[in-house]
Amino acid sequence: MPGDARSSKGPSPSSPSSSSKTVSKMGPPPAKKMGSLSSIQAKLNFSARPSTGSTTIQTKNAEDRKKMPPPTLTAKAVPVVPSSSRAPNISSKSAPSLGASTKDKGRANDNLEIMDDEDEAFEATIKALDSTSGMMWADRYAPTNEVDLAPGKARLKKVKGWLHEALYGHPPNTAPQGESLERLRDKVRKYRRILLLTGPAGAGKTTSFRVIAQEMGLDVVEWNEAIEERSLGGGFDRESPVYKLTSFLSRNSFTPLAMTQSSSQASSSRPKARPRILLLSSIPNVSHLPTKEAFQAALLSFCQSYTSSSCPLVIIYSSVGSSGRAEESWMDRERGSTDGITEILGKDMRDGPWSTEVDFLPLAPSFAVRALNRILPLAVKSPSDRPPASALQLIALTCNGDLRSAVNSLQLLCSRVAKQDGRKRKRDDEELNSKSKAKGRGSQGGKGAKLDLSDQLRAVLDVVSRKEQSLNLFHSLGKIFYNKRVTDPGIEEEDRELYSFVRAMPEPDGLPSHLKDFERSRSMVQIEAFIPTIPVDTSSFALWVHQSLPAYCTDVDQVGAALDDLCSADVMRTEEDIWQSSTHAIAYALHLTIRGVQMALPSPVPRNRQKIVKPQFFESYRLSRINTDKLNYGAAYLTKKAIAASAKLAGAGGAPSVDDPPWGGMIPKDVIATEMLPMMIKIQSASKTPLLPSAVQSLAMPPYAMLTMGEIELRANEDISQELSELAVGEEESEVVDTSVWVDESDNAPQEDDALAGDDIENWD
Amino acid sequence: MSLWVDKYRPRTLDELHYHDQLSARLRSLAASGDFPHILFYGPSGAGKKTRIMCTLRELYGPGVEKLRIDQRVFVTPSNRKLDVNVVQSNYHIELTPSDVGMYDRVVIQDILKEIAQTQQVDLNAKQRFKVVIINEADALTRDAQAALRRTMEKYMNNMRLILCAGSTSKIIAPIRSRCLLVRVAAPTDDEMSKVLHHVAKKERFHLPDPASDAIISSSSGNLRKALLVFEAMKMQRPDLSGDLDVAKPDWETYCGKVADAILSEQSAQKLLEIRGKLYELLSHCIPPTVVMKTISERLVEKVDDEVKKQIVHWTAYYELRMRVGSKKIFHLEAFVAKIMMVYKNYTLMGMMDDIDMF
């Protein structure tokens, strides 16, 4: 039996019953995880394998075949994915006795027969394609050392540094001298209580943490909400999850007793026992208010009850909004990403000094490609079976920074690629090469067109990723901005078909003479067909259109007309009643956006290498939120100061003093933003006496310069594909851009950094 | 160091510099022992708050200046928590319910009930009632105003309301009729100059007339702004003489330059440039309506009479849409584009009459 070899590899249909235990252990989780994917995969796998099964039937049971239904059907009845534990059991038991009597038995036995016969074939298939071994690649080929981790080095270093500080009281590689170590250790560790790893799903939060923890030799204790504790009296313990969490935190927040001693004795050297770290990867249902309060209280008490032997906590939280998805409006995305975790942890935690947040960004495509390239040779042994590099790139681009989904897509893709025999693949490759040459400029637009992909592969990828559409954002924007009409001179090759189609439609009646201004020749954009291909929601689409619009206009009248329609569309669905407004309103708004802009644009649009640029809106919105926080902080500061002064004044028994002005009442926010703060910043800079806390200083406007087009032009010069990847994925580099926005402002307030540095950690005691 | 605008704020009704008749009336009201609910209204920076605080001092004496700040937590019916900052003394409580937006009704109901149901415990207090100051009363929702109306009738014994609003137009009639309406008009130029000179005297320097005139004309009846500008100017140029450069807030300068840019060139390219500026203003928390208003005012100053009407018309048109819409930048920019179109057409027409314009 070849079973021994397989048992280590994972489940296989004919494993002896001894190995069925491991099979059943490994079986269910992947099946559960795969969810909707599994159904597709099952189909694809099915078409890959049973073909081998049916050949065996043909040879052995040729006679039988005449009475039997087609074997494909029976093969389908057999669980295709070998992760099921039932099949091997039966087959191993029944195989010897049933072997001869198959003919008399019904269909059920035939199943078994097939299973039995298939063994060898399966063995071969499994060897050829590891993909069928019932485990998601994302888990199976998860990185095991730090080098292989996909997220950026800076973040990993941050996580590592934090863990090190939290456990040993000093950053890695700097061993402080014996004397100060003792003193410093508790001081640092006291404020390294909670590490938040946030970021979208599939950004590598959990994997990174686990790998780092493993490399550092940490003992990770994980809390899992799903654990039902059985109480002694039988039956389930019905205490609430939060209560369990609270007790978990209090139970585990200290290292085991033996280690406590060793760590306190071995003062400067590393403790010998494995340091313990708590991990919270699922968070209780915080939409329930009492639960949330209890959760926050538990965390707070965890933070406050520090002793030198308590261990830190790591919370992993997938932020809700994944970037670039069409279903979410930008508002949700903005709110989901930043407010989410602080909202959950509560104000005390956020303002307190105990927690540090490391925000994982969605993976940049280049990072994702690297990760996929690492996995591929491990998963698919023979180079000829591997999908082309362009496919990897496409997967990486379409995964929206979600590496897990990218790996899943890759797995699914490989399960299909492997089926095709080599010759056919070669032909495909040739075909696509010639095709891509013939194509010249990518008629498909967007990034996908640049990659060499056969139509077939593209179709597979379409099924696999379901996100292929999102490549078309630039394509759809281009369609609008180029505003092609039938009368345009020089119809391009790619448009021929569409052109004749539009041409064939009946000519509309001309407009009366007083409306001649509104007459346009027929548009090449078939709006009904066009709308479903728009990859983003109406609101974001309007923003994209708005940003690049002026570049395509020759006259301000055109911009004005188009903007008017954008405004009308904007009014249809407003921020306040985004949930109340009818879904039709969204459709109307989209129609108005498209038609209005097409009406307003010149025809033909002059082409002078205009570029589509990313809306400034998001950046501006983000900044305004930051500034609103600062403003609130400034307002609170002013109020507090005024009240303190007023109270002093009252205490002085009415004797007027110079520095204690009377209370003038609460000042409205708008007045603070438009009058108080700007003027106070001016007065302060002229008089050189501080009036405002340093955090508020940056509210000062940068000097007005007519040439602040820098950012736009910079982006406009970038390759369009670069833009796209930025839309889909917040790259590591985009952080650099963010900070550069702030440079000119923070220049105005050089004391800010000093003040922050001056915020002594001891203030919190 | 404290700002002049705080430092020289009058503490008693006697110290007030203008609206003497009003001060006298408030004084007699406070003395009568029959103090009504009052609604103070008037433009920003006219001295409503100052008068309210002076009246309170008249009512309760200096004890009302002993303040503390509390953060109250209110829970909405939907179990959402609201944090509201409340400033209070033993005799009064001050809050801005409109900070919490659509939930202001909850805040109003809870606070008022709480105040109204507790008797004055301080036996030495001059008045049996407590005062509740509600800021930005014109920003209250209709629900909140309706809630206010019921409580005003119900708890008259223990509590008086002082509302503070920009105008009465957004306050429902039942409340208006239950309050004594007190209008605090913006100070006239003379009154402002009196205040400025008073401050200058206290600070022991001489304020030259051109400087005072420049400040007054730039602050359009807003005394708070005038004092802030005054202080900034004094700091920047201690002698306050010569070529005066009124220290305006940066964003105002910004808006002015945007207006100039609109008039200087009407093209799609210029519009893009202006868009950057508009984004800059918005991201610095300058309310979009204020931006539009300031730009429009500046434009009206600069153009010929025929265009003025158009500009005002389109400002009003786009401001209305902006209030309804969600992406303010669209409306601001559409406004700018419209003005450009109007102005361009006007100059083109002008060109027919007078070729020398170009």
Side-chain angles (χ1 to χ4, degrees):
Chain A
M1 277 302 268
D4 336 287
R6 265 177 270 126
S7 60
S8 61
K9 260 193 191 171
S12 76
S14 67
S15 303
S17 55
S18 63
S19 72
S20 70
K21 244 184 190 171
T22 57
V23 170
S24 61
K25 237 189 220 166
M26 309 188 76
K32 206 171 164 192
K33 267 190 194 166
M34 273 146 60
S36 63
L37 255 180
S38 65
S39 60
I40 308 169
Q41 197 177 28
K43 271 181 215 155
L44 290 174
N45 283 348
F46 160 63
S47 57
R49 244 182 317 95
S51 59
T52 57
S54 62
T55 53
T56 54
I57 296 166
Q58 252 172 352
T59 52
K60 289 205 172 183
N61 290 357
E63 212 180 302
D64 218 29
R65 274 180 53 77
K66 287 165 199 162
K67 330 170 202 166
M68 301 305 296
T72 41
L73 207 105
T74 54
K76 201 175 193 173
V78 176
V80 179
V81 184
S83 61
S84 115
S85 55
R86 188 169 42 87
N89 276 343
I90 303 170
S91 67
S92 57
K93 264 186 239 153
S94 49
S97 58
L98 286 177
S101 58
T102 342
K103 285 171 200 164
D104 322 303
K105 300 271 170 167
R107 232 178 100 186
N109 287 344
D110 198 58
N111 280 350
L112 302 176
E113 178 63 23
I114 292 166
M115 288 299 310
D116 223 16
D117 288 343
E118 268 183 319
D119 268 5
E120 314 265 319
F122 260 9
E123 178 64 11
T125 336
I126 285 164
K127 275 199 174 150
L129 319 156
D130 258 338
S131 58
T132 46
S133 52
M135 207 170 152
M136 299 304 281
W137 285 6
D139 298 328
R140 188 174 173 138
Y141 301 112
T144 48
N145 58 356
E146 208 187 316
V147 187
D148 288 342
L149 285 175
K153 294 277 170 289
R155 289 206 163 58
L156 298 177
K157 207 173 151 200
K158 227 162 145 188
V159 173
K160 220 172 153 183
W162 189 92
L163 284 174
H164 207 277
E165 280 179 23
L167 294 168
Y168 308 117
H170 58 86
N173 306 328
T174 58
Q177 294 76 9
E179 177 82 18
S180 60
L181 173 77
E182 268 298 293
R183 204 159 42 79
L184 274 175
R185 213 182 60 140
D186 279 352
K187 221 174 247 177
V188 174
R189 288 190 54 198
K190 197 167 175 181
Y191 299 111
R192 298 283 184 274
R193 298 297 285 142
I194 294 187
L195 175 66
L196 290 170
L197 300 182
T198 55
K205 301 177 295 292
T206 313
T207 313
S208 301
F209 170 70
R210 287 201 186 279
V211 168
I212 290 174
Q214 198 192 348
E215 292 213 332
M216 290 176 72
L218 307 180
D219 183 16
V220 178
V221 182
E222 184 173 356
W223 181 72
N224 197 336
E225 198 175 346
I227 296 172
E228 284 282 356
E229 293 180 8
R230 268 182 184 275
S231 63
L232 281 176
F236 287 108
D237 189 0
R238 283 285 166 219
E239 58 186 8
S240 78
V242 183
Y243 182 78
K244 281 189 217 159
L245 173 65
T246 316
S247 56
F248 168 80
L249 285 180
S250 54
R251 242 184 296 135
N252 290 303
S253 61
F254 301 104
T255 38
L257 203 56
M259 191 204 136
T260 316
Q261 286 169 348
S262 73
S263 69
S264 59
Q265 280 162 10
S267 52
S268 59
S269 67
R270 284 184 172 202
K272 275 160 197 91
R274 281 154 66 89
R276 174 182 280 193
I277 197 149
L278 305 185
L279 172 66
L280 204 62
S281 52
S282 63
I283 281 174
N285 173 21
V286 283
S287 55
H288 179 230
L289 189 67
T291 307
K292 187 163 128 189
E293 279 168 351
F295 175 64
Q296 291 173 357
L299 287 182
L300 199 62
S301 74
F302 172 80
C303 289
Q304 283 165 342
S305 65
Y306 170 81
T307 65
S308 59
S309 59
S310 47
C311 48
L313 172 69
V314 173
I315 299 180
I316 295 179
Y317 177 75
S318 291
S319 30
V320 205
S322 73
S323 53
R325 298 301 300 275
E327 304 88 58
E328 293 151 330
S329 80
W330 54 270
M331 284 302 263
D332 298 339
R333 220 148 62 213
E334 284 289 336
R335 284 185 188 138
S337 55
T338 41
D339 277 357
I341 188 69
T342 44
E343 170 74 2
I344 285 166
L345 291 188
K347 224 173 138 294
D348 293 332
M349 286 305 300
R350 190 186 56 202
D351 297 342
W354 304 284
S355 66
T356 309
E357 184 176 344
V358 178
D359 187 17
F360 281 71
L361 293 176
L363 280 185
S366 53
F367 284 63
V369 168
R370 211 177 60 199
L372 292 180
N373 273 327
R374 184 186 68 78
I375 288 181
L376 198 57
L378 294 176
V380 184
K381 292 289 178 295
S382 70
S384 59
D385 283 343
R386 290 179 200 154
S390 49
L392 289 196
Q393 245 164 326
L394 188 59
I395 290 176
L397 280 173
T398 48
C399 70
N400 279 330
D402 182 347
L403 186 56
R404 189 181 295 124
S405 105
V407 175
N408 287 347
S409 304
L410 180 68
Q411 180 173 13
L412 187 48
L413 178 68
C414 288
S415 66
R416 192 189 150 94
V417 165
K419 185 200 100 181
Q420 307 164 344
D421 60 40
R423 230 185 48 203
K424 188 159 171 286
R425 272 171 46 80
K426 222 166 238 168
R427 212 187 53 217
D428 271 351
D429 283 347
E430 275 160 24
E431 202 172 275
L432 83 91
N433 279 344
S434 57
K435 214 182 231 171
S436 62
K437 266 174 215 150
K439 249 184 207 169
R441 3 193 330 209
S443 67
Q444 288 287 315
K447 203 164 207 171
K450 287 188 195 154
L451 302 171
D452 296 338
L453 287 175
S454 66
D455 287 345
Q456 195 187 4
L457 201 51
R458 194 176 275 281
V460 175
L461 278 174
D462 212 13
V463 177
V464 166
S465 61
R466 280 267 157 232
K467 291 168 196 161
E468 227 263 346
Q469 277 192 338
S470 69
L471 286 179
N472 286 330
L473 177 55
F474 279 78
H475 180 42
S476 18
L477 285 169
K479 264 201 165 173
I480 289 191
F481 286 137
Y482 288 137
N483 193 23
K484 286 181 190 158
R485 292 180 186 274
V486 275
T487 49
D488 285 0
I491 296 295
E492 287 163 49
E493 194 59 36
E494 57 195 270
D495 292 336
R496 282 266 176 246
E497 205 175 316
L498 185 63
Y499 174 73
S500 50
F501 173 71
V502 176
R503 246 312 162 41
M505 291 195 308
E507 184 90 26
D509 296 337
L511 292 171
S513 58
H514 65 283
L515 294 175
K516 281 294 176 201
D517 282 356
F518 296 101
E519 199 157 275
R520 304 280 188 278
S521 64
R522 277 168 298 172
S523 173
M524 300 277 278
V525 177
Q526 294 302 302
I527 208 159
E528 282 75 18
F530 173 64
I531 282 179
T533 65
I534 297 174
V536 292
D537 61 312
T538 307
S539 160
S540 314
F541 190 67
L543 283 170
W544 280 90
V545 170
H546 165 252
Q547 183 71 32
S548 308
L549 176 70
Y552 292 87
C553 294
T554 49
D555 189 70
V556 74
D557 292 3
Q558 294 154 358
V559 193
L563 281 174
D564 262 354
D565 287 324
L566 285 182
C567 287
S568 306
D570 180 49
V571 170
M572 284 180 187
R573 188 166 180 253
T574 60
E575 206 176 304
E576 279 80 31
D577 62 5
I578 207 151
W579 301 113
Q580 277 87 31
S581 62
S582 89
T583 42
H584 298 299
I586 307 171
Y588 297 148
L590 185 60
H591 270 263
L592 186 59
T593 307
I594 296 170
R595 291 185 194 276
V597 170
Q598 297 241 295
M599 187 76 184
L601 280 168
S603 169
V605 175
R607 309 258 184 125
N608 43 17
R609 310 187 64 77
Q610 301 103 321
K611 295 278 161 102
I612 292 166
V613 289
K614 186 182 175 188
Q616 268 172 296
F617 183 85
F618 302 114
E619 179 61 19
S620 160
Y621 185 73
R622 195 183 67 83
L623 277 180
S624 76
R625 273 167 39 113
I626 293 174
N627 282 337
T628 310
D629 285 349
K630 289 183 180 172
L631 194 67
N632 290 338
Y633 178 69
Y637 172 83
L638 288 182
T639 311
K640 254 180 210 163
K641 222 178 102 179
I643 284 188
S646 180
K648 243 200 224 162
L649 186 65
S657 71
V658 188
D659 265 340
D660 300 327
W663 169 244
M666 291 169 149
I667 313 171
K669 286 268 158 57
D670 282 1
V671 173
I672 292 190
T674 57
E675 288 177 27
M676 298 296 289
L677 286 182
M679 290 315 287
M680 286 177 85
I681 289 170
K682 277 210 150 168
I683 292 171
Q684 159 181 279
S685 66
S687 67
K688 305 271 186 287
T689 41
L691 283 170
L692 289 165
S694 54
V696 187
Q697 307 290 345
S698 54
L699 277 176
M701 304 269 299
Y704 187 96
M706 236 16 206
L707 276 173
T708 48
M709 302 283 290
E711 198 188 8
I712 304 175
E713 271 170 4
L714 177 94
R715 287 172 181 249
N717 289 340
E718 281 167 7
D719 189 14
I720 283 180
S721 55
Q722 191 69 30
E723 283 297 329
L724 178 67
S725 53
E726 251 175 55
L727 162 81
V729 174
E731 298 221 35
E732 302 264 306
E733 290 91 319
S734 70
E735 273 195 325
V736 182
V737 176
D738 290 351
T739 49
S740 71
V741 174
W742 281 97
V743 167
D744 49 355
E745 296 192 15
S746 51
D747 278 350
N748 295 343
Q751 60 274 59
E752 185 177 354
D753 287 347
D754 301 353
L756 283 181
D759 266 354
D760 199 335
I761 214 166
E762 307 224 8
N763 286 352
W764 289 100
D765 284 64
Chain B
M1 197 191 113
S2 53
L3 297 168
W4 292 353
V5 68
D6 293 326
K7 206 159 145 189
Y8 299 110
R9 188 191 303 282
R11 294 172 67 203
T12 63
L13 290 171
D14 300 324
E15 287 173 29
L16 290 167
H17 293 274
Y18 52 91
H19 296 335
D20 292 331
Q21 270 198 317
L22 175 59
S23 308
R25 202 152 292 166
L26 287 172
R27 195 176 301 120
S28 63
L29 269 180
S32 71
D34 195 17
F35 194 76
H37 299 305
I38 303 186
L39 167 59
F40 281 87
Y41 66 101
S44 176
K48 299 183 292 292
K49 281 294 179 50
T50 307
R51 276 162 186 75
I52 291 174
M53 293 313 294
C54 291
T55 311
L56 279 182
R57 200 166 188 278
E58 193 73 24
L59 274 173
Y60 295 104
V64 84
E65 282 172 341
K66 212 169 255 169
L67 294 165
R68 57 187 187 276
I69 186 162
D70 277 347
Q71 193 171 53
R72 297 284 184 95
V73 179
F74 299 94
V75 181
T76 66
S78 58
N79 250 345
R80 237 190 82 143
K81 274 190 173 182
L82 307 169
D83 291 338
V84 177
N85 281 320
V86 163
V87 170
Q88 56 182 347
S89 73
N90 287 338
Y91 309 109
H92 86 286
I93 183 164
E94 180 179 355
L95 67 157
T96 313
S98 54
D99 277 354
V100 292
M102 57 185 285
Y103 298 107
D104 51 359
R105 187 180 58 89
V106 184
V107 175
I108 291 267
Q109 277 179 334
D110 285 13
I111 280 266
L112 292 192
K113 220 176 257 173
E114 181 195 314
I115 301 283
Q117 288 170 349
T118 48
Q119 295 272 338
Q120 177 64 267
V121 280
D122 187 355
L123 290 176
N124 298 325
K126 286 193 186 166
Q127 313 289 345
R128 275 191 57 229
F129 55 83
K130 274 191 170 189
V131 171
V132 177
I133 303 176
I134 293 177
N135 289 319
E136 296 177 54
D138 47 352
L140 292 177
T141 58
R142 287 185 75 87
D143 277 357
Q145 294 196 28
L148 203 56
R149 172 198 150 185
R150 284 285 299 136
T151 19
M152 282 168 91
E153 286 171 347
K154 223 170 157 186
Y155 303 114
M156 188 71 183
N157 285 340
N158 295 338
M159 177 192 74
R160 296 291 187 279
L161 282 174
I162 295 185
L163 307 179
C164 184
S167 88
T168 54
S169 59
K170 280 178 130 186
I171 292 181
I172 57 174
I175 290 190
R176 267 186 281 162
S177 84
R178 280 170 178 76
C179 290
L180 179 70
L181 301 191
V182 173
R183 175 170 150 81
V184 184
T188 61
D189 288 358
D190 287 345
E191 286 162 345
M192 290 203 10
S193 127
K194 208 168 104 188
V195 175
L196 293 182
H197 279 99
H198 168 78
V199 170
K201 203 174 137 202
K202 287 266 183 171
E203 286 285 316
R204 300 208 183 110
F205 65 86
H206 174 68
L207 170 64
D209 279 341
S212 119
D213 288 349
I215 295 168
I216 290 167
S217 73
S218 81
S219 48
S220 53
N222 185 339
L223 192 57
R224 168 179 40 230
K225 196 174 159 195
L227 283 170
L228 285 166
V229 168
F230 183 26
E231 187 170 359
M233 269 170 77
K234 172 75 182 159
M235 293 299 164
Q236 281 170 354
R237 190 191 282 268
D239 55 346
L240 285 172
S241 62
D243 188 18
L244 279 166
D245 178 25
V246 177
K248 268 194 244 168
D250 289 335
W251 63 268
E252 253 186 78
T253 324
Y254 239 74
C255 290
K257 289 197 173 143
V258 168
D260 294 346
I262 294 175
L263 298 183
S264 73
E265 185 190 328
Q266 294 84 36
S267 68
Q269 194 54 38
K270 201 72 179 172
L271 189 70
L272 259 181
E273 201 173 297
I274 288 171
R275 172 192 291 173
K277 299 299 163 197
L278 294 176
Y279 268 129
E280 193 78 62
L281 285 163
L282 290 184
S283 63
H284 279 82
C285 303
I286 310 296
T289 47
V290 175
V291 172
M292 199 184 271
K293 178 165 162 272
T294 318
I295 293 177
S296 161
E297 276 170 1
R298 175 74 174 227
L299 285 169
V300 167
E301 267 172 38
K302 295 216 157 187
V303 297
D304 295 342
D305 281 352
E306 292 100 297
V307 194
K308 281 183 180 163
K309 189 194 104 186
Q310 295 262 350
I311 290 180
V312 173
H313 168 79
W314 291 118
T315 315
Y317 176 81
Y318 285 104
E319 178 178 322
L320 177 66
R321 302 186 108 195
M322 185 160 68
R323 281 185 190 279
V324 184
S326 61
K327 297 188 198 74
K328 311 296 180 199
I329 187 75
F330 283 14
H331 304 274
L332 276 175
E333 210 177 305
F335 161 70
V336 170
K338 184 59 111 190
I339 300 295
M340 279 184 169
M341 282 155 70
V342 167
Y343 192 73
K344 195 173 134 195
N345 286 340
Y346 175 72
T347 46
L348 282 178
M349 302 272 277
M351 193 175 68
M352 284 177 227
D353 299 334
D354 182 10
I355 291 173
D356 289 342
M357 271 188 74
F358 286 90

